[in-house]
Amino acid sequence: MPSIYRFIVDLLFPEYCAVCGKFLFGNHFLVACKDCWNEGFKEFAGEKCVICGYPVKFYPGAGKVCGRCIERKRKFSFDGVNYFTFYSGIVSHAIWKLKFRKQKELAKFIANSIKKHFLEYINEVKPHIITYVPLSKERIRERSFDQCEEILKHMGIRFEPVLEKLHTKRQSELGIQERYENIKGSFVSKRKLNGRTVLLFDDVFTTGATLNEASGVLKKAGASKVYCYTVAYTIRQQ
């Protein structure tokens, strides 16, 4: 049930659904009405490439491996990747607003939408440690919070910060190859992992450069397996 505060804020500072344009009043998700949010935040349950996570139906290869990974003989530092939905529509809009417009409350709504699916993946890979891809100290000063940490907090799942991120250019402003170069050497593990299985959480999988680099650092710190999970996956040329 929305609070009186929410009703007052909605009346004083009117916002409209980014999808259908409906006036947002009371029971809504800050950037979308309830119906549009639920329609956009739907789990993608199709077959995912066991190497890169790409939907196999969009780029068929052989069995559970997409055509791109076969053609390019791709390998990553992580041992598997899963995600809830695609980075498009209201999903991309909500994540963008959370990260770049500091709408921190969106972390709670995103967490509620993905929690069941994330718990299922935890049960599947059985990690000893759940951690996340952190922001650099400079980025946290800009935003005042780390969006991945906030989403995990709202899911009520036990996690611990293992990685430290050094300051780099924004990945979102770079091309595919530039992302891999930009992120090299930008993570440091704060502890030894001694053969543990790690589940690494991030908000968006775009090219895999960030997760690949972070997973490699976790492996060098002693992790035996690293699995990755993101809220959303970008369907684009990788």
Side-chain angles (χ1 to χ4, degrees):
M1 184 72 178
S3 65
I4 296 298
Y5 171 78
R6 169 55 59 196
F7 286 121
I8 294 172
V9 169
D10 289 344
L11 288 172
L12 293 177
F13 306 99
E15 296 286 349
Y16 301 88
C17 176
V19 180
C20 70
K22 183 190 298 182
F23 170 54
L24 298 176
F25 183 71
N27 191 14
H28 61 80
F29 293 81
L30 292 184
V31 294
C33 66
K34 184 177 179 180
D35 289 341
C36 288
W37 180 279
N38 291 334
E39 181 63 29
F41 267 85
K42 279 186 176 178
E43 174 194 347
F44 170 68
E47 196 77 64
K48 300 166 184 174
C49 176
V50 293
I51 295 176
C52 73
Y54 201 81
V56 175
K57 69 177 183 179
F58 294 159
Y59 206 129
K64 296 183 178 181
V65 180
C66 74
R68 185 176 290 116
C69 283
I70 292 173
E71 292 166 5
R72 301 181 186 178
K73 299 179 181 178
R74 297 203 300 182
K75 294 182 180 180
F76 293 95
S77 298
F78 46 78
D79 297 281
V81 59
N82 200 359
Y83 50 91
F84 182 72
T85 191
F86 297 144
Y87 189 66
S88 62
I90 195 59
V91 176
S92 59
H93 185 68
I95 292 174
W96 186 85
K97 284 280 191 176
L98 170 63
K99 293 166 70 170
F100 302 114
R101 288 296 178 266
K102 303 180 182 179
Q103 290 191 268
K104 191 175 179 180
E105 193 176 352
L106 283 166
K108 175 179 69 177
F109 300 136
I110 292 170
N112 290 340
S113 294
I114 70 170
K115 182 176 180 178
K116 180 176 180 293
H117 187 253
F118 188 48
L119 287 173
E120 289 171 353
Y121 194 55
I122 291 172
N123 187 56
E124 178 185 336
V125 301
K126 295 178 172 53
H128 300 101
I129 297 170
I130 297 173
T131 190
Y132 60 95
V133 175
L135 294 177
S136 66
K137 293 177 181 178
E138 290 82 359
R139 292 280 180 259
I140 292 176
R141 279 198 292 269
E142 288 176 12
R143 297 180 190 176
S144 75
F145 64 90
D146 185 307
Q147 73 274 0
C148 290
E149 186 178 14
E150 289 301 314
I151 294 170
L152 284 171
K153 284 179 180 176
H154 283 294
M155 284 195 281
I157 293 168
R158 183 178 179 181
F159 66 94
E160 55 183 287
V162 174
L163 294 168
E164 181 179 338
K165 173 71 163 53
L166 307 179
H167 191 56
T168 62
K169 295 179 182 177
R170 295 182 190 276
Q171 289 287 86
S172 58
E173 298 172 352
L174 303 174
I176 296 173
Q177 191 55 44
E178 291 175 312
R179 286 172 181 255
Y180 281 89
E181 294 299 322
N182 182 56
I183 207 71
K184 278 183 181 178
S186 64
F187 291 106
V188 177
S189 178
K190 297 188 286 187
R191 57 168 291 187
K192 296 295 183 181
L193 297 169
N194 301 322
R196 289 177 171 82
T197 296
V198 179
L199 179 52
L200 180 61
F201 179 83
D202 202 5
D203 53 358
V204 182
F205 186 112
T206 303
T207 63
T210 298
L211 288 171
N212 184 62
E213 181 69 18
S215 296
V217 170
L218 293 171
K219 289 280 185 77
K220 288 179 181 177
S224 59
K225 297 280 185 180
V226 178
Y227 295 96
C228 299
Y229 184 95
T230 65
V231 176
Y233 194 99
T234 305
I235 303 301
R236 54 168 282 179
Q237 185 68 28
Q238 297 178 44

